[in-house]
Amino acid sequence: MPEMYDVITMGRIGVDLYPLQTGLPLAQVDTFGKFLGGSPTNVAVAAARLGRRTAVVTRTGRDAFGDYLHQQLREFGVDDRWVTSVDAYPTPLTFCEIFPPDDFPLYFYRQPKAPDLEIHEAELDLDAIRAARVFWMTGTGLCAEPSRTATLVALRARSEARERSRGGQGHDPGPLTVFDLDWRPMFWTDDPGHPGADHPVHPTASARYREALAHATVAVGNLDECEIATGEREPYTAARALLAAGVELAVVKQGPKGVLAVHRDGTVADVPPLPVEVVNGLGAGDAFGGALCHGLLAGWETERVMRYANAAGAIVASRLACSPAMPFPYEVEEALVRGAVTAGAPGAGS
């Protein structure tokens, strides 16, 4: 029998080089901090901080930055056994600019190709992926081969596992497959879309998203991402379209309007955001994701899961970095009791 993981994530990894000075363009920044990055990798870190047994399936370059990422994963308590190296490509780097409260441009260095897009089907431990209580994948994993095929193979394996254990036992929801819609148009090079449209249109991505949604039990995305997946931007309409595409729980992030969650059983939770003094909004969605996994695994009701995940995201938004900023359970509980997060307050500083 494979070892049981609470959460296995699959996809992007890299080194975040974030300025230690805020309110300045990169050309004027003198000092940077180096951090573990990549959205699904950060989700694994966030879930580990909340006490879950996690692992990530990804690839790095065979270089010093790849060594650094292995070191960081181990320090954060994330199993790195399925993090392998690629000789041909360097470990990706990501820079950002920090202009609080809502402007955080990202600069991805993933050329000529990112190693995490070189995940091959034959390298997957499908027994472990089937057995994990939560499997988390992202839209970026569908943007290029061989990652696209490997991701779809993993999703089909999850569907098989779901059929075998549908319903779970007690509060155990059974195997959950989360599709983080994670729309990054700069990673999709095989279809330019239609530049004249009011909103981005990308037929290739939309088709791949629909294919993946058929195997997912939970979908998570903001309004732009929901539009790519379903063609809909209005939150309730987008949520219903995600349910129609096959998921059981649709989670629509609405930025300052909070988060909407709609379950196939008719449950609706429309939860406002937790007020926060923003330092860096990057990473908040990954903290939300790790907390979402934690709450779903705990069997909480939908509204409680969303409030908890909102609080986790708010805490990270009050901090400078991403992965080391992921909160511990006591910090999330304190934030919920206070009803707000202030940068530098207990449970909010880093």
Side-chain angles (χ1 to χ4, degrees), residues 28-302:
Q28 298 178 24
V29 173
D30 295 320
T31 56
F32 294 83
K34 181 177 66 174
F35 308 104
L36 169 75
S39 180
T41 303
N42 283 338
V43 169
V45 171
R49 278 278 172 92
L50 297 173
R52 297 298 177 176
R53 186 164 187 256
T54 71
V56 60
V57 179
T58 190
R59 306 195 75 182
T60 71
R62 193 182 298 276
D63 51 32
F65 281 133
D67 295 340
Y68 166 76
L69 294 175
H70 279 279
Q71 171 191 317
Q72 287 292 288
L73 287 168
R74 293 164 186 160
E75 289 184 6
F76 287 128
V78 177
D79 196 322
D80 66 343
R81 70 180 62 191
W82 298 303
V83 181
T84 59
S85 59
V86 177
D87 290 330
Y89 304 122
T91 299
L93 304 178
T94 303
F95 291 85
C96 77
E97 293 176 323
I98 301 177
F99 295 101
D102 59 3
D103 188 18
F104 309 100
L106 282 168
Y107 302 87
F108 294 99
Y109 290 76
R110 291 169 59 87
Q111 299 299 328
K113 187 179 184 180
D116 55 58
L117 295 176
E118 282 291 299
I119 301 172
H120 291 262
E121 171 188 353
E123 299 166 341
L124 298 178
D125 186 339
L126 290 178
D127 287 339
I129 288 172
R130 289 187 189 97
R133 298 177 68 197
V134 173
F135 176 67
W136 178 288
M137 47 72 63
T138 77
T140 296
L142 302 173
C143 77
E145 294 290 3
S147 172
R148 177 183 298 150
T149 293
T151 301
L152 292 170
V153 166
L155 287 173
R156 286 193 286 270
R158 292 291 297 178
S159 289
E160 295 168 4
R162 183 76 175 176
E163 287 301 315
R164 287 199 298 267
S165 59
R166 185 170 294 275
Q169 299 293 325
H171 291 293
D172 189 338
L176 297 171
T177 300
V178 184
F179 183 3
D180 177 3
L181 301 180
D182 183 43
W183 172 237
R184 305 283 181 175
M186 70 287 292
F187 298 161
W188 290 78
T189 59
D190 58 350
D191 185 342
H194 303 293
D198 292 336
H199 300 291
V201 176
H202 203 298
T204 299
S206 296
R208 300 299 182 188
Y209 275 43
R210 289 192 296 272
E211 187 175 2
L213 283 168
H215 298 285
T217 50
V218 181
V220 184
N222 62 31
L223 295 179
D224 288 340
E225 293 165 339
C226 288
E227 184 179 23
I228 288 294
T230 69
E232 304 290 349
R233 286 187 65 84
E234 194 282 321
Y236 281 89
T237 305
R240 288 192 291 269
L242 289 168
L243 295 178
V247 305
E248 297 180 8
L249 176 65
V251 180
V252 181
K253 300 177 185 178
Q254 305 176 76
K257 294 184 178 180
V259 61
L260 169 69
V262 181
H263 197 280
R264 184 178 296 280
D265 66 8
T267 301
V268 175
D270 199 344
V271 178
L274 201 67
V276 56
E277 182 180 333
V278 175
V279 173
N280 184 358
L282 301 173
D286 303 334
F288 181 99
L292 172 69
C293 293
H294 177 67
L296 291 174
L297 289 171
W300 296 343
E301 62 180 16
T302 302

